[in-house]
Amino acid sequence: MEMPKVTRRTFLKVSATTGAAAAAAPRLLNAMEHELGGKDFGPVTGAERKAIPINCHVCNIQDGAIAYVENDRVVKLEGNPEHVSTRGRLCAKGNAGMWYSYDPDRILYPLKRVGARGEGKWKRITWDEALTELAGKLDAALKEDPNTIMLKYGRNRSGGAVDRFMKTLGSATVVNHTSVCESSKKIGMEPTWGPDIETPDFANAKYVLNFGSNILEAAYFHNPLSQRVTEGRVDNHMKIVTFDVRLSNTAGFSDEWVPVHPGTDGAVALAMGHVILRDDLQDSEFIETWTNVTVKELKEHYKQFTPEWASKISGVPAETIERIATEFATTKPATLFTYRGPAKHLYGSYNERSCMMLPIMTGNVEKKGGYCLPRGMGWPQPSPEPGKPKKDSYLAHPTEYPLAGHKVSHLVPFWIADGKQKINVYFTYQDNPVYTNPGAMAVWGKLFKDEKLIPYLVSMSPFMGEETALADLILPDCPYLERWEPESMPNSLWPWLGIRQPVHKSLGESRENRIMMRDIIWKLDPDGKRGMKQFWNFKDGEDYMRHHFDNVPGLKEAGGLNFLKKHGVWPIYGKLNPKTGKVSDKTGREIKAEYGLFKKELSAADMAGTATDKNGVITKNGKAIGVKRNGKNYVGFPTGNRIINVRVDKWAEYGFNPMPTFKRIPWHEAMKDDELVMVTFKLNVMKQSRTAAVKWLAEIAHSNPMWIGTSTAAKLGIKTGDLVRVESKVGHLVTKAYVTEGIHPRTVAIPTGFGHWEYGRLATLKLKDKKSEASHGADDPDLNNVWWDDKGVHPNNIIPVVADPIGGSQGWYDTVVKVTKAGPNDKYGDSQGDWEKHYAAYKETMRYAYTGDLHRKMHPEMASWAGPGSVKHHEGGGH
Amino acid sequence: MGEYVWFHDVSWHASYAVYFFIIGILAGLSFMSYGSWITPALRPLREKAAYGSMVLLALGGMLLIADLSQPLRFFNVLNPAYLNFTSPLAWGSLNIVAFGVCSVLYILELRKAEDSARGKMLALVTALLALGLPVYTGYDLSVHQSRPVWNTPIMPVLFVALAVASGSAVGALLTGGNDAAQKVLREYMLWSTGAVGVILVSILGTTNYGGSAQELTFIIMTTGTMGMIFIGVGLLAGTAAPVALLLAAHVREQQTGLMLSAVLILVGSAALRYALLMGPQQLQTLY
Amino acid sequence: MSEELRVSPIETRGIAGKRRFAMVVDTRRCIGCMACQVACKAEYDTPLGVNRTWVPYKVVGKYPNVKRQFLPRLCNHCDDAPCVRNCPVDATFKVEDGGFILQRYERCIGCRSCMAACPYNARFMLPSHRTYTPITNVVDKCTFCFHRVSQNLVPACVQTCIGRSRVFGDINDPNSEVSYLVANNPTQVLRPEEGTKPHVFYIGADRNATEFGRDAYHKPEVMEPERSAFKRNFKI
Ligand SMILES: Nc1nc2c(c(=O)[nH]1)N[C@H]1C(S)=C(S)[C@@H](COP(=O)(O)OP(=O)(O)OC[C@H]3O[C@@H](n4cnc5c(=O)[nH]c(N)nc54)[C@H](O)[C@@H]3O)O[C@H]1N2
Ligand SMILES: Nc1nc2c(c(=O)[nH]1)N[C@H]1C(S)=C(S)[C@@H](COP(=O)(O)OP(=O)(O)OC[C@H]3O[C@@H](n4cnc5c(=O)[nH]c(N)nc54)[C@H](O)[C@@H]3O)O[C@H]1N2
Ligand code: SF4
Ligand code: SF4
Ligand code: SF4
Ligand code: SF4
Ligand code: SF4
Ligand SMILES: [Mo]
């Protein structure tokens, strides 16, 4: 049958709506492959949209992006094709970032609390009223002691502005969120080889060991690294083995998923090292040349870690350990990656070091396809710069945790309650401990509601997060699409500098953070007499950026900030090749990374005026700048002695084992048959506490039932969808069960990011509620289509604090729970934590600190250590 | 929850089944009205059936149009520049419009004169166009070759049988007390309902022996609530029971048995249309 | 046989001088990141409750040998598209140059026949609320990003695909990447038995994942609360 031809012949006949776009469309060039982005057109109007390069900050991976603007509204986000790491792509969250700006419940005006703390009653005030009130409080605090002004941040991409602000005030009480993040990983790595992270060269690797990182959904650096993982796996036929307690997307994608009992990765890694050294598969030359131990010492040390020993602890069969160890050691190049899985335990720092030993002992460091050092770039700070505060702060550098260079923020509420340090004014910036920390509302909610402990709470935030809801004063910051910020992240093998720039005028009366801080300082020191104003001489955010970027060598010649405003990133290594999805140079070939950074030789100029000690360490002006090996002067690794420290002597000073080791979590060892370990995890479309109000992401994932293994669930009589009661030593919650084959039978897992009780109407599913006085964003008619009615249950109330005595990190994955079917009085969503019990957990965990009574018991091998009294007082922090 | 899933709405909702039901009855009534020109026993039905079918047409038309997401664009269907003849809906719309026009002419003629030749002619044309209605609705389903059950070519025949059954059932209710008419209508009901039963059994049988999609559709249609509606109400109560009753009504108390069968047939054919429309759509909402 | 027998006179595959766009989805590379789904939502201001593309997944196997499989889905831009044949008003049509199956929104009467006709559930009715796009209450679907492709850009979902699992191009051009991939890898299309000639080709898709399986009916109960919430609350 002949189809009637009517109007279907050519696309020029496509009518009205699609037609507009079609009419404007030029005839396609035949046989030309399509471009991978860099431009955007409206599907209805057909008009080209304005492109503004930015840097994504929906999460903290910092991908280069482009915002497309139509009618002064960001309608599309895309990866910046000129960005060497991002290569034009964004993850699901990055694609949805405009909803930070257009959140109908966004706060756009300064607000003053009028009810009780947390009651939700607000009064809109002017900026001048807000600043005057705040300046009054700061003045009073400054008179008493600058350190009574505290600032705690979560994400801080201000490029130094936040620290400048606190230094200007003269306060050392600056706390971050890193101890709930990955700090024990950092503390495991830094003394060992310098940087706090590795860059695995997945694209060129043949074998990958992944310990507890969920690269394909989260981790640093989800988007750029996932691109390279798929490349390696499909194009380069690499094998990837993932150790995780549950089947993450990464585990599900890997050639092999090896389930481990929580907290035991270190044992498995040590046993693999044992196999490698036993069978003489190590790279002896690398070990002898580039580490501070000999092969003989290492072999001796690893003898104790047999696969049978590790198998008993971890549940991983000894044969599996043997096989994977051999495969890893004999397949070259190979690399390893870890993230929070091994690190977030009582002795997470030990776990991390045990894992990183594998690429080190096999000599895969800084090789193509291997385990590479991160590549980053810095930028100068505007001058003059304020000096260091006069006094140190206990909360910032607690004496019991001298090695925890990234602080121990999750114990801060208890220390404040214990009167360790007095606080008059507390600033919270991009931080939501009331939701994201262990104890959540039961701990931080309790602290923030206590006006004696926290007399004045100021939140700089565009969103009514759980912490902001408890504030006395809210200063409306701008979301990332309206801020100026410098950026650099080691998220590929090529270093880069980038910027964030406002895509349109900030909405309402919101002010970007650096301007807000400037205005606070200006209010305190209007005429500059107090010596504060000099550090804040900026017209606006762009002016501030000029100080960073107009004098960076290389970039300066390219145009400085103007170059970045146009391209978003520098340098531009080449062009994104639509045929390969990779970056090609002028000749059309893929750009090549530089490897072997530590083997760069020092030039004669570098060597001028240096001294070389007996260990080969080359120092200049008192600073180690390189190391002499085999007669050559290399830059080496960025550690104090310029080589890899398999033995970290500083740890021994505090009675910790300086060699790679493993400590079993004592309360896991004592677990009864009906007890399970509860872990939490991140999903690809959620970003901790901040994405629940992003509709496209919430639509994909909005509830978080507890994963439980099929066999365990069968024993407990639990089916998917059943209500379960989960009880820990500090509280209980009631949630739904999801029965799955993809989890270790002794583990249950609850994803984080759900179960909000604040963060606006979408996150709390109170869409029928009237807009609150705090919400000023434009309404979104699409929210009428919200179809889900389950917002999930947040687990943090029932997670007790645990602090790694070395790294200071929270032991998120150490919680022992009892799971039962819910009883008649249990309601979905119940979540109860008890301050007293959390307080007891805090006391308990400090017994593991080097000053505590359990420290020695946990370290029989360090019997010769003279005890805490033997330690000379070190200034906190370090790395 | 727990897994990322995506949900699809069914294409056609239950209101479409009501439309099928109404259009079936009105087609059946048109047959009866025409039948009255041939079978004198049905004479009392002629006007009633014609009017009834007009009223139902108005109702059905309104339903159909209201069910469109863009009701005002209904006229697009009649725009010759837009008409797409591979779509049964296009044919159906023309059929409905033509049927409507003929029905009006027929009723005008009935009001003007008794037993005119023109009346008979118009009755025939109207009935033929009426035949087109269940044919096109059946065709409307059977063109969807990816949907098990719908994709059987016998669908139009099934819908004609259903139309005759429900039309004669309504006829039977309208002619309460008239033995002669009822006798004829009993035959109609018996044979058409019997035919419905035979067709359904053969559809079900072949469906269960198809590939996994067919097999799953069979499971969906024979278990749970859908199974209750389809097998329980549609096949057993609405098809098997009236056939049995009608066979029995021959010998025993004609009147009540007949009326009861008529009611059962109507309920059953409504249930069947619902199940036939909704059942085969369920599978894809899971896929 | 020299003469090719073509069922539909508007088939564009393999015809000299004509383009035929196609997508290859390499499931070996799909990491289930959902970037494609969100990028497409943004590109079209697609309302909640409906999607032009979606990425369902399955967990298969028994502990500890368990895997996760993703199967990105979208309109197949069938060469022999039942949705086109079934539209009474020619609101759904095929663009001969490229093979796009598109909608004329201003003509569509919303009868949903095309939805019923599509074997892939690739079409949906737009609800009456949207953020800023005025087109509502008509059927919509993936356009293969016609407005981008005609500007020489890849579709939005391809552009952002982190795993580079989605590749787009002219399959009539023997030098294109899609031609290369289809020529050099075993591929399959969804529900080939429907004879629709889909132009989304899958590499490495497990047939058990692409066919209706028994578990399509015995769905993991995990979906049930969600599914009933959707049925209950999503009103167009
Ligand atoms: N989508 C998304 N991406 C993110 C973020 C986000 O919130 N969402 N946040 C960013 C931030 S701040 C961070 S720190 C990173 C974190 O990135 P990741 O560390 O990759 O992610 P997590 O979910 O914290 O934990 C990783 C995995 O550890 C597993 N696990 C738990 N206990 C153990 C154990 O004892 N051993 C092993 N081997 N595995 C275990 C969990 O099941 C989980 O799959 O992600 C970053 N990227
Ligand atoms: N159970 C469990 N808990 C966890 C984790 C886990 O895996 N499981 N992960 C942990 C990890 S890795 C981390 S890093 C922490 C993160 O913990 P946080 O740093 O506390 O959390 P975020 O959710 O990133 O954002 C904090 C707050 O920043 C504010 N905010 C958002 N955008 C902006 C902005 O543009 N400007 C300003 N001024 N404020 C803004 C919002 O109020 C938001 O609530 O959470 C930890 N908590
Ligand atoms: S991983 Fe996603 S959210 Fe995070 S910076 Fe990259 S694109 Fe943005
Ligand atoms: S996939 Fe469905 S909507 Fe797309 S062309 Fe084929 S039949 Fe039409
Ligand atoms: S809903 Fe619209 S596009 Fe689909 S068949 Fe009906 S008129 Fe055509
Ligand atoms: S081709 Fe375009 S319309 Fe189709 S799924 Fe991809 S982004 Fe959406
Ligand atoms: S963007 Fe690519 S890798 Fe991610 S889910 Fe979609 S198809 Fe898969
Ligand atoms: Mo983190």
Side-chain angles (χ1 to χ4, degrees):
Chain A
M1 190 178 79
E2 257 288 303
M3 297 279 282
K5 295 225 164 71
V6 217
T7 56
R8 60 180 95 217
R9 295 278 326 166
T10 68
F11 62 66
L12 284 178
K13 296 242 175 76
V14 183
S15 47
T17 40
T18 39
R27 255 203 85 77
L28 305 173
L29 295 168
N30 204 27
M32 177 164 172
E33 294 274 75
H34 295 75
E35 288 298 325
L36 276 175
K39 271 194 221 163
D40 198 48
F41 298 85
V44 175
T45 58
E48 183 161 3
R49 290 160 168 171
K50 194 163 114 200
I52 302 168
I54 49 137
N55 218 276
C56 184
H57 191 215
V58 179
C59 88
N60 205 33
I61 274 56
Q62 308 306 345
D63 285 307
I66 300 178
Y68 291 106
V69 179
E70 193 168 323
N71 300 326
D72 216 25
R73 181 189 179 103
V74 180
V75 286
K76 186 84 204 308
L77 294 159
E78 179 176 290
N80 182 350
E82 294 192 310
H83 197 289
V84 68
S85 308
T86 310
R87 302 192 297 196
R89 297 168 237 177
L90 293 182
C91 81
K93 298 171 275 108
N95 271 294
M98 63 289 252
W99 290 103
Y100 279 5
S101 296
Y102 308 130
D103 182 342
D105 287 337
R106 177 171 160 188
I107 302 164
L108 293 175
Y109 303 95
L111 296 172
K112 185 180 157 61
R113 166 170 75 90
V114 287
R117 271 205 189 149
E119 202 187 327
K121 295 216 172 101
W122 303 98
K123 187 176 143 216
R124 181 173 153 183
I125 57 175
T126 65
W127 268 104
D128 195 56
E129 286 166 327
L131 292 173
T132 307
E133 176 178 310
L134 174 57
K137 303 277 180 189
L138 289 172
D139 259 333
L142 284 170
K143 272 194 201 102
E144 187 179 342
D145 174 0
N147 274 356
T148 63
I149 302 170
M150 169 168 176
L151 186 147
K152 181 167 181 283
Y153 60 81
R155 305 285 152 216
N156 169 5
R157 306 307 300 177
S158 70
V162 166
D163 291 297
R164 170 176 292 253
F165 175 67
M166 290 302 281
K167 280 184 186 156
T168 306
L169 294 174
S171 170
T173 319
V174 183
V175 180
N176 56 28
H177 75 182
T178 314
S179 78
V180 298
C181 185
E182 75 288 67
S183 62
S184 280
K185 171 177 169 67
K186 293 174 186 277
I187 296 298
M189 301 191 92
E190 284 163 342
T192 309
W193 80 336
D196 61 356
I197 194 169
E198 67 277 37
T199 301
D201 187 9
F202 291 128
N204 298 302
K206 284 288 180 199
Y207 203 92
V208 176
L209 287 180
N210 168 31
F211 280 97
S213 129
N214 192 2
I215 324 159
L216 302 188
E217 295 188 80
Y220 280 59
F221 298 96
H222 164 60
N223 172 14
L225 289 192
S226 296
Q227 296 182 24
R228 275 93 185 165
V229 168
T230 50
E231 246 169 72
R233 173 116 184 284
V234 180
D235 303 339
N236 198 35
H237 306 288
M238 81 180 187
K239 176 169 179 179
I240 172 166
V241 179
T242 292
F243 294 81
D244 199 305
V245 300
R246 61 173 192 104
L247 188 81
S248 62
N249 281 3
T250 313
F253 174 91
S254 297
D255 296 276
E256 242 182 294
W257 166 46
V258 185
V260 285
H261 187 281
T264 63
D265 301 76
V268 175
L270 288 170
M272 286 171 46
H274 169 98
V275 173
I276 292 168
L277 292 163
R278 180 197 67 200
D279 296 349
D280 224 12
L281 300 173
Q282 76 284 356
D283 183 336
S284 299
E285 199 205 319
F286 182 80
I287 296 169
E288 298 280 348
T289 318
W290 289 105
T291 76
N292 67 346
V293 293
T294 62
V295 172
K296 192 159 158 283
E297 280 173 282
L298 212 52
K299 286 196 175 199
E300 197 49 42
H301 177 71
Y302 268 80
K303 271 217 176 97
Q304 51 184 317
F305 308 123
T306 64
E308 291 69 30
W309 161 81
S311 173
K312 236 188 266 143
I313 294 169
S314 66
V316 181
E319 312 80 74
T320 308
I321 295 177
E322 294 262 359
R323 175 175 53 81
I324 293 174
T326 312
E327 282 174 13
F328 176 75
T330 54
T331 314
K332 296 274 155 85
T335 189
L336 172 138
F337 193 52
T338 67
Y339 225 75
R340 292 175 74 252
K344 301 311 290 179
H345 300 281
L346 176 63
Y347 287 105
S349 305
Y350 284 150
N351 286 344
E352 174 58 37
R353 266 169 55 73
S354 303
C355 293
M356 77 182 292
M357 277 308 294
L358 292 170
I360 292 173
M361 69 169 72
T362 49
N364 277 302
V365 175
E366 268 298 317
K367 294 227 168 105
K368 184 176 180 185
Y371 187 79
C372 299
L373 291 160
R375 282 108 164 109
M377 268 190 185
W379 55 82
Q381 292 293 333
S383 55
E385 280 191 81
K388 243 176 112 173
K390 286 195 192 72
K391 280 190 300 175
D392 200 3
S393 143
Y394 176 83
L395 298 179
H397 299 117
T399 44
E400 292 88 346
Y401 296 93
L403 298 170
H406 298 276
K407 317 193 180 191
V408 197
S409 63
H410 58 295
L411 298 188
V412 159
F414 304 106
W415 288 329
I416 294 179
D418 278 355
K420 289 270 191 193
Q421 207 184 312
K422 185 178 172 197
I423 301 301
N424 283 327
V425 178
Y426 184 119
F427 281 99
T428 165
Y429 175 61
Q430 299 217 31
D431 184 42
N432 191 0
V434 186
Y435 178 96
T436 54
N437 271 35
M441 198 61 188
V443 170
W444 288 84
K446 170 116 174 150
L447 173 76
F448 285 159
K449 278 193 173 163
D450 192 332
E451 293 187 39
K452 280 204 220 62
L453 295 178
I454 307 290
Y456 195 62
L457 178 55
V458 187
S459 175
M460 305 188 263
S461 172
F463 307 113
M464 192 58 79
E466 280 75 7
E467 86 291 21
T468 305
L470 296 170
D472 298 309
L473 180 70
I474 304 178
L475 302 177
D477 186 20
C478 298
Y480 76 103
L481 289 170
E482 294 164 22
R483 299 200 296 257
W484 284 99
E485 269 164 353
E487 211 39 273
S488 183
M489 269 283 186
N491 50 12
S492 70
L493 289 167
W494 292 268
W496 54 267
L497 285 179
I499 55 158
R500 206 166 275 124
Q501 59 183 322
V503 294
H504 50 53
K505 208 178 138 298
S506 49
L507 300 184
E509 285 180 9
S510 54
R511 289 187 190 174
E512 63 169 310
N513 178 257
R514 71 185 64 243
I515 297 306
M516 175 189 307
M517 292 189 297
R518 176 201 67 182
D519 295 346
I520 296 170
I521 299 295
W522 283 11
K523 193 83 193 175
L524 279 170
D525 186 15
D527 46 16
K529 283 200 185 110
R530 294 171 88 166
M532 295 176 166
K533 201 175 177 179
Q534 52 173 323
F535 309 118
W536 295 84
N537 264 328
F538 315 104
K539 270 209 315 285
D540 48 27
E542 177 169 357
D543 190 26
Y544 199 136
M545 287 308 110
R546 296 224 170 263
H547 291 267
H548 288 316
F549 292 123
D550 276 353
N551 288 308
V552 174
L555 174 58
K556 183 180 177 175
E557 292 70 45
L561 184 68
N562 290 343
F563 183 92
L564 287 175
K565 279 172 71 179
K566 183 146 174 256
H567 297 278
V569 68
W570 176 85
I572 293 167
Y573 289 87
K575 198 176 153 8
L576 186 61
N577 183 343
K579 284 248 185 214
T580 59
K582 298 175 188 171
V583 179
S584 295
D585 62 17
K586 285 203 190 78
T587 68
R589 268 174 298 215
E590 194 190 342
I591 54 164
K592 297 259 179 298
E594 221 187 310
Y595 298 97
L597 295 191
F598 66 96
K599 281 187 160 169
K600 257 207 197 137
E601 288 182 47
L602 293 170
S603 65
D606 293 332
M607 286 305 289
T610 59
T612 306
D613 72 9
K614 65 175 190 324
N615 296 321
V617 182
I618 305 163
T619 42
K620 191 172 186 171
N621 306 327
K623 241 189 91 193
I625 62 156
V627 65
K628 191 176 187 116
R629 283 290 180 269
N630 305 325
K632 286 190 179 149
N633 302 316
Y634 295 111
V635 294
F637 292 89
T639 52
N641 55 358
R642 292 271 140 185
I643 53 171
I644 292 177
N645 293 296
V646 172
R647 191 185 59 252
V648 178
D649 295 323
K650 194 173 175 197
W651 287 15
E653 286 177 38
Y654 297 93
F656 294 104
N657 194 330
M659 291 295 282
T661 192
F662 173 76
K663 297 282 165 207
R664 190 141 190 224
I665 294 153
W667 57 93
H668 283 188
E669 211 164 346
M671 244 161 77
K672 296 195 206 68
D673 274 353
D674 63 341
E675 289 178 328
L676 302 165
V677 180
M678 180 179 95
V679 306
T680 64
F681 62 96
K682 301 181 171 72
L683 282 179
N684 49 8
V685 297
M686 276 294 146
K687 173 66 181 92
Q688 277 126 4
S689 77
R690 57 209 300 165
T691 38
V694 177
K695 60 176 185 178
W696 295 328
L697 304 176
E699 182 179 36
I700 296 172
H702 37 260
S703 68
N704 60 341
M706 179 195 76
W707 293 29
I708 182 165
T710 317
S711 59
T712 314
K715 258 188 252 153
L716 297 169
I718 292 168
K719 292 191 313 300
T720 290
D722 284 355
L723 282 192
V724 287
R725 184 186 170 93
V726 189
E727 206 151 359
S728 76
K729 68 174 184 182
V730 292
H732 80 272
L733 60 80
V734 180
T735 189
K736 290 176 189 158
Y738 160 47
V739 180
T740 172
E741 293 288 333
I743 189 164
H744 189 283
R746 290 310 297 274
T747 311
V748 291
I750 301 183
T752 184
F754 308 91
H756 278 274
W757 57 96
E758 295 286 351
Y759 228 103
R761 288 165 298 164
L762 179 58
T764 50
L765 281 182
K766 289 184 184 148
L767 286 160
K768 300 231 162 66
D769 281 14
K770 198 166 109 255
K771 216 172 173 130
S772 101
E773 301 118 67
S775 316
H776 320 107
D779 280 324
D780 177 6
D782 190 20
L783 293 185
N784 286 301
N785 299 320
V786 169
W787 52 266
W788 56 98
D789 48 18
D790 184 353
K791 68 180 171 105
V793 185
H794 186 52
N796 287 20
N797 267 340
I798 73 158
I799 301 178
V801 285
V802 170
D804 175 355
I806 308 167
S809 208
Q810 159 67 6
W812 281 114
Y813 309 142
D814 293 346
T815 313
V816 171
V817 294
K818 221 177 247 167
V819 175
T820 49
K821 273 184 107 151
N825 297 324
D826 288 334
K827 258 196 355 278
Y828 180 61
D830 284 355
S831 163
Q832 222 122 69
D834 181 280
W835 164 268
E836 296 302 329
K837 291 178 182 162
H838 278 288
Y839 186 85
Y842 141 72
K843 284 287 180 200
E844 173 71 15
T845 203
M846 287 203 59
R847 295 175 65 197
Y848 292 89
Y850 90 101
T851 46
D853 63 314
L854 292 175
H855 177 50
R856 218 179 239 298
K857 214 174 128 213
M858 292 301 295
H859 289 88
E861 74 274 26
M862 300 299 291
S864 61
W865 177 56
S870 70
V871 179
K872 284 188 286 19
H873 181 71
H874 282 274
E875 208 177 298
H879 315 291
Chain B
M1 80 188 238
E3 309 226 351
Y4 306 116
V5 284
W6 194 250
F7 306 106
H8 301 277
D9 200 4
V10 294
S11 311
W12 285 323
H13 294 108
S15 54
Y16 214 47
V18 179
Y19 167 73
F20 280 5
F21 183 58
I22 289 175
I23 225 152
I25 297 178
L26 78 88
L29 286 177
S30 289
F31 302 157
M32 300 303 122
S33 189
Y34 173 63
S36 74
W37 295 86
I38 302 180
T39 312
L42 295 179
R43 180 62 190 83
L45 263 182
R46 184 179 299 168
E47 281 79 12
K48 279 189 202 164
Y51 284 123
S53 112
M54 247 337 268
V55 172
L56 288 177
L57 177 68
L59 202 70
M62 260 149 57
L63 250 179
L64 180 68
I65 293 176
D67 202 41
L68 298 176
S69 295
Q70 298 285 354
L72 294 179
R73 294 197 192 150
F74 174 73
F75 293 103
N76 282 2
V77 185
L78 304 176
N79 184 335
Y82 291 174
L83 259 189
N84 178 15
F85 285 103
T86 53
S87 159
L89 218 84
W91 289 101
S93 321
L94 294 180
N95 196 338
I96 292 180
V97 173
F99 173 80
V101 172
C102 272
S103 292
V104 171
L105 292 178
Y106 176 46
I107 285 171
L108 288 178
E109 184 60 29
L110 285 183
R111 297 177 71 121
K112 224 162 57 197
E114 282 261 314
D115 294 331
S116 70
R118 234 177 62 209
K120 188 173 178 185
M121 242 287 291
L122 282 169
L124 175 64
V125 177
T126 311
L128 281 174
L129 287 170
L131 181 66
L133 298 177
V135 168
Y136 113 79
T137 42
Y139 191 50
D140 205 13
L141 296 185
S142 67
V143 292
H144 297 106
Q145 285 298 299
S146 63
R147 311 244 177 202
V149 176
W150 286 10
N151 60 9
T152 41
I154 209 163
M155 259 313 141
V157 182
L158 175 64
F159 273 71
V160 171
L162 278 169
V164 175
S166 34
S168 44
V170 172
L173 295 175
L174 288 177
T175 56
N178 182 331
D179 275 356
Q182 299 247 331
K183 220 174 134 204
V184 177
L185 290 169
R186 176 185 165 276
E187 297 291 308
Y188 285 10
M189 283 196 276
L190 184 58
W191 288 106
S192 58
T193 310
V196 167
V198 171
I199 295 172
L200 283 176
V201 168
S202 66
I203 289 178
L204 271 181
T206 45
T207 301
N208 194 27
Y209 290 89
S212 52
Q214 277 81 354
E215 195 189 344
L216 286 162
T217 305
F218 178 85
I219 297 174
I220 289 171
M221 296 198 65
T222 52
T223 56
T225 318
M226 195 58 82
M228 264 297 295
I229 295 173
F230 185 54
I231 305 289
V233 183
L235 257 177
L236 297 177
T239 308
V243 166
L245 262 176
L246 286 168
L247 287 172
H250 188 55
V251 280
R252 273 201 266 120
E253 244 205 287
Q254 189 123 355
Q255 190 64 32
T256 27
L258 198 85
M259 298 303 254
L260 185 58
S261 321
V263 171
L264 284 175
I265 288 174
L266 283 175
V267 172
S269 68
L272 286 175
R273 282 165 175 121
Y274 174 81
L276 287 169
L277 180 75
M278 302 307 285
Q281 293 189 79
Q282 300 305 313
L283 180 59
Q284 286 200 11
T285 67
L286 298 170
Y287 178 58
Chain C
M1 269 202 285
S2 59
E3 190 119 311
E4 196 197 348
L5 185 70
R6 281 194 296 120
V7 180
S8 161
I10 54 161
E11 278 190 16
T12 47
R13 177 75 182 277
I15 302 202
K18 279 199 180 135
R19 277 162 311 166
R20 206 331 162 175
F21 289 108
M23 192 181 293
V24 174
V25 179
D26 189 341
T27 61
R28 297 170 306 171
R29 307 183 80 115
C30 176
I31 60 167
C33 65
M34 311 280 155
C36 48
Q37 188 174 320
V38 179
C40 181
K41 274 237 148 140
E43 186 76 32
Y44 296 98
D45 181 30
T46 315
L48 298 172
V50 292
N51 266 327
R52 290 174 172 222
T53 183
W54 64 105
V55 188
Y57 80 65
K58 270 189 187 180
V59 175
V60 295
K62 288 262 170 247
Y63 183 86
N65 300 311
V66 201
K67 287 242 160 248
R68 215 174 260 216
Q69 294 170 334
F70 298 95
L71 191 76
R73 297 276 309 275
L74 68 159
C75 166
N76 286 290
H77 294 268
C78 306
D79 225 8
D80 213 334
C83 58
V84 171
R85 272 175 284 158
N86 215 9
C87 177
V89 294
D90 217 359
T92 281
F93 68 105
K94 179 168 177 177
V95 178
E96 213 174 332
D97 182 11
F100 305 85
I101 305 288
L102 300 183
Q103 285 283 104
R104 294 179 173 96
Y105 302 110
E106 77 296 345
R107 190 187 285 190
C108 169
I109 62 171
C111 66
R112 299 159 177 254
S113 300
C114 51
M115 285 169 71
C118 171
Y120 308 98
N121 269 340
R123 296 176 155 260
F124 53 85
M125 177 61 70
L126 284 167
S128 40
H129 295 286
R130 283 180 93 159
T131 304
Y132 60 83
T133 307
I135 302 164
T136 55
N137 299 94
V138 286
V139 160
D140 201 1
K141 67 183 286 293
C142 156
T143 53
F144 250 10
C145 281
F146 175 82
H147 72 289
R148 291 175 59 93
V149 173
S150 52
Q151 296 282 3
N152 205 35
L153 292 167
V154 294
C157 56
V158 174
Q159 194 280 326
T160 205
C161 180
I162 291 193
R164 207 174 147 70
S165 165
R166 296 183 184 226
V167 175
F168 184 86
D170 178 7
I171 201 162
N172 280 356
D173 167 8
N175 298 318
S176 69
E177 196 183 349
V178 283
S179 294
Y180 176 84
L181 288 170
V182 169
N184 292 290
N185 291 282
T187 58
Q188 65 161 311
V189 294
L190 298 183
R191 309 193 70 190
E193 73 281 5
E194 298 303 335
T196 49
K197 301 191 186 120
H199 274 67
V200 175
F201 299 88
Y202 291 85
I203 297 176
D206 179 346
R207 272 207 100 94
N208 278 317
T210 61
E211 308 277 302
F212 287 117
R214 280 207 148 258
D215 60 338
Y217 183 64
H218 299 290
K219 257 298 173 230
E221 325 83 272
V222 61
M223 293 174 59
E224 226 21 71
E226 289 285 276
R227 218 158 69 87
S228 47
F230 181 74
K231 279 192 171 165
R232 205 165 47 240
N233 302 329
F234 188 61
K235 301 270 184 294
I236 292 188

